[in-house]
Amino acid sequence: MKLLKLVPDNTNIRFLRWRLPFYVVSVLLILASWGLVLTNGLNLGVDFVGGQMIRVTFVGEQTVPVAKMRSEISALGYGDPIIQGYGGSNEAAIRVKLPEGADEKPDLANTMTAKIVATLKAAHPNIRIDGIDSVSGKVSSELFSKGLMALSFAMLAISVYIWIRFEWQFGVGALFALFHDVSLTLGFFAITHMEFDLNIVAAILTIIGYSLNDTIVVYDRIRENLKKYRKMPLPELLDLSVNETLARTVMTSLTLLIALIPLLIFGPASLFGLAAAITLGIFIGTYSSIYMAAPILIWLGVKSDSFVPTETAADKQDRLAREASMP
């Protein structure tokens, strides 16, 4: 049985020929992304700005009317709520952002909660309020800052690992590629104003993992080829390495997209941001491993001599013995 091949053998695409224009575009996109984050800001969710969580049970029902409840609460003017199931199939948790000024005037949050509860009871006589929890904006802002610190430390630790595993130039290249991926993802959420919550932080960590995996595969092949083709010009060697790993990259990306696209189209609204972020991250991560992580090695001065293993005394003795035995 013949195996399916999405990428033909022995491809010879000159990726690095366009490295300078792509790098300029990427740097401009990074600057634009951070500009949007600083000017437009992120539409932070309940996890990061505080809010009220109302736990409800629909007595005698099999399921929770999520879409109907969402439209009823949105009509009150407090924004779109996050409604997630928990426990049984007829139980749900409703999370709503705190209204502006609620930290100074707690009565605003109580008034909002009372209106939501009254609306739900009027529309659903069989609803039971199981509990109401409040998360302050101060606690949520601390959670947001710690989430950003976690992302930063993850990227830094990964770069240190690659530095030790390969050379310092590879660590710098991987860090820049990861910074590129995270920046463009944040820019996407700043321009679309989609809600940014803990699900999106998890999505960004997933993107970092995917991009890192793809980058390490390319870097490992580059290192092998640096040992094998010591006199080959570095741009040609990088093109060769990327082409040799291209089939694996395409197959991995396609496999992930097959799982993500149905979730993006048919999945629940609460997971749309997560699916959209990871889908975007697959394209950005694949691009950065080719056009960000690889070309920067040229400008950082990677040389094949760095990867030639040092000959030990035992190796030298074996080599001399082999040479002596040769006719």
Side-chain angles (χ1 to χ4, degrees), residues 244 247 274 308 312:
E244 287 178 346
L274 174 73
V308 177
T312 63

Side-chain angles (χ1 to χ4, degrees), residues 13 27 39 68 96 98 107 151 232 242 244 248 301 310 313:
I13 303 172
V27 170
T39 54
K68 187 177 180 182
V96 186
L98 289 174
D107 290 342
L151 291 175
M232 180 181 290
V242 172
E244 287 178 346
R248 179 260 173 207
T310 304

Side-chain angles (χ1 to χ4, degrees), residues 158 177-178 181 202-218 245-257 260 277-290:
I158 287 167
L178 294 178
D181 300 343
I204 292 177
L205 287 172
T206 304
I207 292 169
I208 289 175
Y210 171 80
S211 178
L212 172 68
N213 181 62
D214 209 21
T215 300
I216 286 181
V217 169
V218 175
T245 58
L246 188 60
R248 179 260 173 207
T249 299
V250 171
M251 184 61 73
T252 303
S253 301
L254 185 61
T255 303
L256 290 171
L257 289 174
L260 281 169
I278 297 177
T279 302
L280 175 68
I282 289 174
F283 291 100
I284 295 175
T286 302
Y287 165 83
S288 67
S289 64
I290 296 174

